[in-house]
Amino acid sequence: MQDTVDMVDDPEYEEEEPSFSDPEDYVDDVDDDELLDDVLREKPQEADGIDSVVVVDNVPQVGPERLEKLKNVIHKIFSKFGKITTEFYPEADGMTKGYIFLEYAFPTQAMEAVKNADGYKLDKQHTFRVNLFTDFDKYMNISDEWETPEKQPFKDFGNMRHWIEDPDCRDQYSVIYEAGERTAIFSNDAKESITVEERARWTETYVRWSPKGTYLATFHQRGIALWGGEKFKQIQRFSHQGVSLIDFSPCERYVVTFSPLMDTKEDPQAIIIWDILTGQKKRGFHCESSAHWPIFKWSHDGKFFARMSPDTLSIYETPSMGLLDKKSLKINGIKDFSWSPGDNIIAFWVPEDKDIPARVTLMQMPSRQEIRVRNLFNVVDCKLHWQRNGDYLCVKVDRTPKGTQGVVTNFEIFRMREKQVPVDVVEMKESIIAFAWEPNGSKFAVLHGESPRINASFYHVKNNGKIDLIKMFDKQQANSIFWSPQGQFMVLAGLRSMNGALAFVDTSDCTMMNIAEHYMASDVEWDPTGRYVVTSVSWWSHKVDNAYWLWTFQGRLLQKNNKDRFCQLLWRPRPPTLLSSEQIKMIKKDLKKYSKIFEQKDRLSQSKASKDLVDKRRTMMEEYHQYKEAALQLYLEQKSMRLELRGGVDTDELDSNVEDWDEETIEFFINEEIIPLGDL
């Protein structure tokens, strides 16, 4: 070390500097593209501005006297999509040529104009066709030779509805526990649930089933994943950073995702609609708030979806994802809307405005024909409640009648299947806690009053134009109504603050089948068949006693499942039945015949020993059938050997070779009896 220091300090020591000069005979043959490839890729491209230009065809041909009016109309329509910097109206012989050029400030605004204004109907004779100016080059360069699209390999995900084919008719449900660390799928059984699939960190927040139960959606920081098939393979994934909410279309063709992360004005990313089958993004939308999710509400068949904004109702159609008839509905003061679950009918209500009364409107889509308008007075608030089949609509109207202090509630019942949609009214002077329609019937239930005097009333909408009060239970500990998906049976539940009080009711004769309690219960979930119901205490709402209990529809407790930090249970939905109404009637008629089969299965599954015996017998039967098939195959293969050994005589069948048979009659003595004739 000392030697080195001395050498550096020595003035006679000078370090030779390296030479960076090229040799005299060096030829520089490296171009900029090779040397600076990554830098040049990010070099801004020269633009000529035509990306921001749109061509609008089928514009009215007018003279100088009407040109200014036409320009005002065009500017009003197209300025909605962005700032127009240049307008050009070609003319010939004193008349416009029927097409114009518009230049926007940004290319994204031009694309938005093409997407929304193409097909816009100005009047009966003029429907706009809008294209980007750059599209003309693209269409000119299209090859005249047809190229067959590359065939995509088929991905077999197995039977996507395998759970419906369960021989014991068991439904499935998902469970999240250990504070979200573990997710499991169980097959429901009255004795003990059966694990179908279980994974750690399957989702980062919660899960969601699609409306028909085909897909299970899991949430991740980067987006959504869909799972399905017998082994729950990943079917599709959608990249949407920070996604927190989703919604499916009823037909399971589309999924809507929402992310609270900021999106740009030019490229909407807050809400994205995806095609489930292809995984392609169909359209993005801006969203200021997700307080009332879902932002978009779907029609029952998935053909339309709509969103509400101040004084506007925008209805979009699939698969184009464009505005229906290229324009929104202008509805001043619109407060809420809802689609019919059975028809393409949309209901919305508008509050009072000075001397104009509040009104509820039913509108047919896509014709936009108003099929019923109901005027309402002294309205404070309205809530829209559809019966699941769309047979009835209940509008809960809170009113303050003149000369009174309190609020009175009217239930305006629209009979959707009758001519001119008649409306019946049920008035209640007590405060309303909950309202719910019977899913497949014409009854509805109401919780009303103040704690501790909460009453449960049951009404029946009759065909003769009357609504009858069929029963009222007083002094109920309930704040929620949960109907069985098949109707008739229900649970009146006092969730959270009411300590989990449960009342199981049969509404056919309005009898209380059982009264029970699941302390601090936070959720109630019916299975799709209406045979079982689950009550649960979620770790998300209460940090102790986390568990879910399984009950029969009559209120008999079957299971108590304690899961560490249990969070969520969701039953897997079933798709609509493929049976006709006549076939369902025949099944109900022959129900006793089917009941015997299921009763026998129930008896065998009474104990674990019986279950083991059934499984053993089933295994033995399967082994027997396999042995029988193998023996029969061997028997057929050895037929030629048997014929050879028996001289060509086929002895496999009892009646084979009948023509070679010899008939021989043999008689022999059996018995003799002598009867004297003299005694007769």
Side-chain angles (χ1 to χ4, degrees), residues 135-152:
D135 286 346
F136 286 90
D137 290 335
K138 182 176 71 174
Y139 297 140
M140 290 294 291
N141 295 328
I142 293 177
S143 174
D144 294 333
E145 296 182 7
W146 164 253
E147 293 184 7
T148 306
E150 183 181 350
K151 185 180 288 187
Q152 299 296 322

Side-chain angles (χ1 to χ4, degrees), residues 364-486:
Q364 184 81 46
M365 291 296 163
S367 64
R368 306 194 185 202
Q369 177 188 356
E370 292 185 353
I371 58 177
R372 187 70 163 90
V373 177
R374 175 80 167 175
N375 290 329
L376 305 168
F377 299 91
N378 306 315
V379 175
V380 177
D381 191 22
C382 284
K383 291 286 186 293
L384 306 172
H385 300 277
W386 284 97
Q387 188 251 13
R388 192 172 72 178
N389 297 330
D391 298 336
Y392 305 98
L393 168 65
C394 171
V395 181
K396 173 181 166 288
V397 185
D398 294 330
R399 300 171 54 245
T400 53
K402 291 182 179 179
T404 61
Q405 294 289 333
V407 175
V408 175
T409 299
N410 283 3
F411 293 110
E412 309 268 341
I413 309 297
F414 291 70
R415 299 172 181 262
M416 300 300 298
R417 305 301 179 198
E418 299 181 24
K419 289 184 178 179
Q420 298 180 341
V421 192
V423 181
D424 301 312
V425 181
V426 176
E427 183 176 305
M428 303 196 78
K429 295 184 178 180
E430 294 181 306
S431 61
I432 306 301
I433 299 169
F435 173 94
W437 280 104
E438 181 183 20
N440 292 328
S442 54
K443 295 192 285 285
F444 63 88
V446 184
L447 289 176
H448 53 94
E450 299 287 346
S451 183
R453 297 185 60 85
I454 295 176
N455 303 320
S457 297
F458 302 92
Y459 292 86
H460 184 206
V461 182
K462 294 194 170 182
N463 294 328
N464 59 5
K466 293 183 179 180
I467 299 177
D468 291 344
L469 173 64
I470 53 179
K471 185 71 175 180
M472 185 178 78
F473 295 117
D474 58 357
K475 296 182 180 179
Q476 295 298 304
Q477 280 189 290
N479 53 20
S480 303
I481 303 169
F482 297 95
W483 281 95
S484 161
Q486 305 304 322

Side-chain angles (χ1 to χ4, degrees), residues 215 235-236 238 252-254 274-280:
Y215 307 105
I235 307 298
Q236 196 63 264
F238 309 97
E252 291 190 343
R253 181 68 192 273
Y254 306 102
W274 308 85
D275 188 305
I276 290 178
L277 295 178
T278 64
Q280 298 296 314

